[in-house]
Amino acid sequence: MFGLGMQEILVIALIILLLFGGKKIPELMKGLGKGVKSFKEGMNEVTDQKDKSEEVKGEK
């Protein structure tokens, strides 16, 4: 993953744990998950609108 070994990943995880604390990390991951879900829904919405506009152009 990105050229990182297991030791580097563990060091990064330890630094994040020290910075944010154990209680804050689940909240951060929950927020990140909601953001990703919202982004995917937005992309699907754009794709749907594009498909609809192509159908309308094809009917003309």
Side-chain angles (χ1 to χ4, degrees):
M1 178 175 21
F2 305 112
L4 297 175
M6 189 57 140
Q7 290 178 336
E8 289 89 358
I9 293 173
L10 288 174
V11 169
I12 292 169
L14 180 64
I15 291 170
I16 291 172
L17 182 62
L18 289 173
L19 287 175
F20 295 109
K23 293 183 180 180
K24 195 71 171 170
I25 292 176
E27 293 174 21
L28 291 171
M29 293 299 112
K30 185 177 179 181
L32 181 65
K34 286 183 180 180
V36 169
K37 182 179 177 182
S38 175
F39 178 77
K40 286 183 179 180
E41 288 174 354
M43 291 300 295
N44 288 336
E45 192 174 303
V46 169
T47 304
D48 292 342
Q49 288 177 354
K50 181 182 173 191
D51 292 343
K52 288 180 183 178
S53 68
E54 287 176 356
E55 288 177 6
V56 170
K57 287 181 183 177
E59 290 176 2
K60 291 183 177 180

